[in-house]
PDB file of all heavy atoms in Angstrom:
ATOM      1  N   SER A 298     -58.303-145.451  11.218  1.00 92.00           N
ATOM      2  CA  SER A 298     -56.966-144.876  11.428  1.00 92.00           C
ATOM      3  C   SER A 298     -56.649-143.935  10.285  1.00 92.00           C
ATOM      4  O   SER A 298     -56.843-144.275   9.106  1.00 92.00           O
ATOM      5  CB  SER A 298     -55.905-145.980  11.502  1.00 92.00           C
ATOM      6  OG  SER A 298     -56.136-146.836  12.616  1.00 92.00           O
ATOM      7  N   ILE A 299     -56.201-142.745  10.641  1.00 90.00           N
ATOM      8  CA  ILE A 299     -55.823-141.741   9.648  1.00 90.00           C
ATOM      9  C   ILE A 299     -54.331-141.484   9.826  1.00 90.00           C
ATOM     10  O   ILE A 299     -53.883-141.058  10.897  1.00 90.00           O
ATOM     11  CB  ILE A 299     -56.631-140.449   9.842  1.00 90.00           C
ATOM     12  CG1 ILE A 299     -58.125-140.746   9.780  1.00 90.00           C
ATOM     13  CG2 ILE A 299     -56.228-139.392   8.827  1.00 90.00           C
ATOM     14  CD1 ILE A 299     -58.996-139.593  10.210  1.00 90.00           C
ATOM     15  N   LYS A 300     -53.541-141.758   8.785  1.00 90.00           N
ATOM     16  CA  LYS A 300     -52.079-141.640   8.868  1.00 90.00           C
ATOM     17  C   LYS A 300     -51.600-140.570   7.903  1.00 90.00           C
ATOM     18  O   LYS A 300     -51.866-140.626   6.696  1.00 90.00           O
ATOM     19  CB  LYS A 300     -51.425-142.974   8.515  1.00 90.00           C
ATOM     20  CG  LYS A 300     -49.911-142.961   8.677  1.00 90.00           C
ATOM     21  CD  LYS A 300     -49.519-142.808  10.167  1.00 90.00           C
ATOM     22  CE  LYS A 300     -48.006-143.003  10.366  1.00 90.00           C
ATOM     23  NZ  LYS A 300     -47.228-141.914   9.815  1.00 90.00           N
ATOM     24  N   LEU A 301     -50.943-139.540   8.476  1.00 88.00           N
ATOM     25  CA  LEU A 301     -50.378-138.473   7.668  1.00 88.00           C
ATOM     26  C   LEU A 301     -48.858-138.586   7.694  1.00 88.00           C
ATOM     27  O   LEU A 301     -48.271-139.238   8.563  1.00 88.00           O
ATOM     28  CB  LEU A 301     -50.792-137.104   8.228  1.00 88.00           C
ATOM     29  CG  LEU A 301     -52.286-136.882   8.498  1.00 88.00           C
ATOM     30  CD1 LEU A 301     -52.512-135.459   9.006  1.00 88.00           C
ATOM     31  CD2 LEU A 301     -53.103-137.138   7.254  1.00 88.00           C
ATOM     32  N   SER A 302     -48.224-137.925   6.749  1.00 84.00           N
ATOM     33  CA  SER A 302     -46.759-137.965   6.688  1.00 84.00           C
ATOM     34  C   SER A 302     -46.117-137.098   7.764  1.00 84.00           C
ATOM     35  O   SER A 302     -44.933-137.217   8.036  1.00 84.00           O
ATOM     36  CB  SER A 302     -46.292-137.504   5.297  1.00 84.00           C
ATOM     37  OG  SER A 302     -46.771-136.191   5.040  1.00 84.00           O
ATOM     38  N   SER A 303     -46.923-136.215   8.400  1.00 86.00           N
ATOM     39  CA  SER A 303     -46.397-135.362   9.470  1.00 86.00           C
ATOM     40  C   SER A 303     -47.540-135.073  10.435  1.00 86.00           C
ATOM     41  O   SER A 303     -48.715-135.204  10.096  1.00 86.00           O
ATOM     42  CB  SER A 303     -45.825-134.064   8.890  1.00 86.00           C
ATOM     43  OG  SER A 303     -46.837-133.352   8.200  1.00 86.00           O
ATOM     44  N   PRO A 304     -47.210-134.669  11.664  1.00 89.00           N
ATOM     45  CA  PRO A 304     -48.267-134.398  12.645  1.00 89.00           C
ATOM     46  C   PRO A 304     -49.178-133.257  12.198  1.00 89.00           C
ATOM     47  O   PRO A 304     -48.769-132.352  11.464  1.00 89.00           O
ATOM     48  CB  PRO A 304     -47.493-134.025  13.908  1.00 89.00           C
ATOM     49  CG  PRO A 304     -46.122-134.560  13.701  1.00 89.00           C
ATOM     50  CD  PRO A 304     -45.859-134.502  12.231  1.00 89.00           C
ATOM     51  N   SER A 305     -50.447-133.317  12.661  1.00 88.00           N
ATOM     52  CA  SER A 305     -51.410-132.253  12.352  1.00 88.00           C
ATOM     53  C   SER A 305     -52.311-132.026  13.562  1.00 88.00           C
ATOM     54  O   SER A 305     -52.689-132.968  14.258  1.00 88.00           O
ATOM     55  CB  SER A 305     -52.260-132.624  11.136  1.00 88.00           C
ATOM     56  OG  SER A 305     -53.262-131.638  10.936  1.00 88.00           O
ATOM     57  N   GLN A 306     -52.650-130.785  13.788  1.00 87.00           N
ATOM     58  CA  GLN A 306     -53.542-130.442  14.900  1.00 87.00           C
ATOM     59  C   GLN A 306     -54.885-129.909  14.411  1.00 87.00           C
ATOM     60  O   GLN A 306     -55.675-129.403  15.202  1.00 87.00           O
ATOM     61  CB  GLN A 306     -52.869-129.385  15.794  1.00 87.00           C
ATOM     62  CG  GLN A 306     -51.596-129.865  16.449  1.00 87.00           C
ATOM     63  CD  GLN A 306     -51.005-128.811  17.371  1.00 87.00           C
ATOM     64  OE1 GLN A 306     -51.417-127.654  17.356  1.00 87.00           O
ATOM     65  NE2 GLN A 306     -50.049-129.221  18.181  1.00 87.00           N
ATOM     66  N   ASN A 307     -55.128-130.015  13.143  1.00 85.00           N
ATOM     67  CA  ASN A 307     -56.352-129.418  12.583  1.00 85.00           C
ATOM     68  C   ASN A 307     -57.077-130.404  11.680  1.00 85.00           C
ATOM     69  O   ASN A 307     -57.202-130.188  10.472  1.00 85.00           O
ATOM     70  CB  ASN A 307     -56.018-128.143  11.789  1.00 85.00           C
ATOM     71  CG  ASN A 307     -55.563-127.012  12.684  1.00 85.00           C
ATOM     72  OD1 ASN A 307     -56.319-126.602  13.562  1.00 85.00           O
ATOM     73  ND2 ASN A 307     -54.342-126.545  12.480  1.00 85.00           N
ATOM     74  N   ILE A 308     -57.556-131.481  12.261  1.00 88.00           N
ATOM     75  CA  ILE A 308     -58.312-132.470  11.494  1.00 88.00           C
ATOM     76  C   ILE A 308     -59.775-132.428  11.971  1.00 88.00           C
ATOM     77  O   ILE A 308     -60.051-132.531  13.164  1.00 88.00           O
ATOM     78  CB  ILE A 308     -57.745-133.881  11.674  1.00 88.00           C
ATOM     79  CG1 ILE A 308     -56.291-133.935  11.166  1.00 88.00           C
ATOM     80  CG2 ILE A 308     -58.615-134.903  10.957  1.00 88.00           C
ATOM     81  CD1 ILE A 308     -55.637-135.272  11.372  1.00 88.00           C
ATOM     82  N   SER A 309     -60.678-132.256  11.018  1.00 87.00           N
ATOM     83  CA  SER A 309     -62.107-132.229  11.334  1.00 87.00           C
ATOM     84  C   SER A 309     -62.804-133.385  10.618  1.00 87.00           C
ATOM     85  O   SER A 309     -62.453-133.734   9.482  1.00 87.00           O
ATOM     86  CB  SER A 309     -62.747-130.913  10.884  1.00 87.00           C
ATOM     87  OG  SER A 309     -62.128-129.822  11.528  1.00 87.00           O
ATOM     88  N   ILE A 310     -63.753-133.970  11.307  1.00 87.00           N
ATOM     89  CA  ILE A 310     -64.599-135.000  10.689  1.00 87.00           C
ATOM     90  C   ILE A 310     -66.038-134.517  10.829  1.00 87.00           C
ATOM     91  O   ILE A 310     -66.516-134.248  11.936  1.00 87.00           O
ATOM     92  CB  ILE A 310     -64.414-136.379  11.346  1.00 87.00           C
ATOM     93  CG1 ILE A 310     -62.948-136.816  11.227  1.00 87.00           C
ATOM     94  CG2 ILE A 310     -65.341-137.398  10.713  1.00 87.00           C
ATOM     95  CD1 ILE A 310     -62.658-138.164  11.849  1.00 87.00           C
ATOM     96  N   VAL A 311     -66.716-134.378   9.688  1.00 83.00           N
ATOM     97  CA  VAL A 311     -68.078-133.833   9.679  1.00 83.00           C
ATOM     98  C   VAL A 311     -69.005-134.800   8.973  1.00 83.00           C
ATOM     99  O   VAL A 311     -68.577-135.653   8.182  1.00 83.00           O
ATOM    100  CB  VAL A 311     -68.124-132.460   8.983  1.00 83.00           C
ATOM    101  CG1 VAL A 311     -67.228-131.454   9.702  1.00 83.00           C
ATOM    102  CG2 VAL A 311     -67.712-132.581   7.508  1.00 83.00           C
ATOM    103  N   ASN A 312     -70.321-134.653   9.279  1.00 79.00           N
ATOM    104  CA  ASN A 312     -71.319-135.460   8.571  1.00 79.00           C
ATOM    105  C   ASN A 312     -71.672-134.782   7.257  1.00 79.00           C
ATOM    106  O   ASN A 312     -71.118-133.726   6.909  1.00 79.00           O
ATOM    107  CB  ASN A 312     -72.557-135.691   9.443  1.00 79.00           C
ATOM    108  CG  ASN A 312     -73.229-134.390   9.856  1.00 79.00           C
ATOM    109  OD1 ASN A 312     -73.057-133.359   9.217  1.00 79.00           O
ATOM    110  ND2 ASN A 312     -73.997-134.432  10.936  1.00 79.00           N
ATOM    111  N   THR A 313     -72.602-135.354   6.539  1.00 68.00           N
ATOM    112  CA  THR A 313     -72.933-134.818   5.209  1.00 68.00           C
ATOM    113  C   THR A 313     -73.620-133.466   5.280  1.00 68.00           C
ATOM    114  O   THR A 313     -73.777-132.797   4.257  1.00 68.00           O
ATOM    115  CB  THR A 313     -73.843-135.808   4.463  1.00 68.00           C
ATOM    116  OG1 THR A 313     -74.995-136.094   5.266  1.00 68.00           O
ATOM    117  CG2 THR A 313     -73.104-137.093   4.143  1.00 68.00           C
ATOM    118  N   SER A 314     -74.039-133.060   6.486  1.00 65.00           N
ATOM    119  CA  SER A 314     -74.618-131.724   6.649  1.00 65.00           C
ATOM    120  C   SER A 314     -73.564-130.698   7.016  1.00 65.00           C
ATOM    121  O   SER A 314     -73.868-129.518   7.193  1.00 65.00           O
ATOM    122  CB  SER A 314     -75.701-131.743   7.739  1.00 65.00           C
ATOM    123  OG  SER A 314     -76.745-132.617   7.389  1.00 65.00           O
ATOM    124  N   GLY A 315     -72.308-131.134   7.179  1.00 70.00           N
ATOM    125  CA  GLY A 315     -71.237-130.229   7.544  1.00 70.00           C
ATOM    126  C   GLY A 315     -71.077-130.040   9.031  1.00 70.00           C
ATOM    127  O   GLY A 315     -70.283-129.203   9.473  1.00 70.00           O
ATOM    128  N   ASP A 316     -71.828-130.822   9.850  1.00 79.00           N
ATOM    129  CA  ASP A 316     -71.721-130.701  11.305  1.00 79.00           C
ATOM    130  C   ASP A 316     -70.617-131.605  11.823  1.00 79.00           C
ATOM    131  O   ASP A 316     -70.505-132.766  11.420  1.00 79.00           O
ATOM    132  CB  ASP A 316     -73.048-131.106  11.962  1.00 79.00           C
ATOM    133  CG  ASP A 316     -74.204-130.254  11.477  1.00 79.00           C
ATOM    134  OD1 ASP A 316     -74.006-129.043  11.312  1.00 79.00           O
ATOM    135  OD2 ASP A 316     -75.297-130.816  11.249  1.00 79.00           O
TER     136      ASP A 316
END
Side-chain angles (χ1 to χ4, degrees):
S298 297
I299 303 169
K300 184 67 172 70
L301 309 182
S302 58
S303 60
S305 175
Q306 297 183 348
N307 291 301
I308 299 177
S309 300
I310 301 180
V311 300
N312 59 22
T313 55
S314 299
D316 301 320

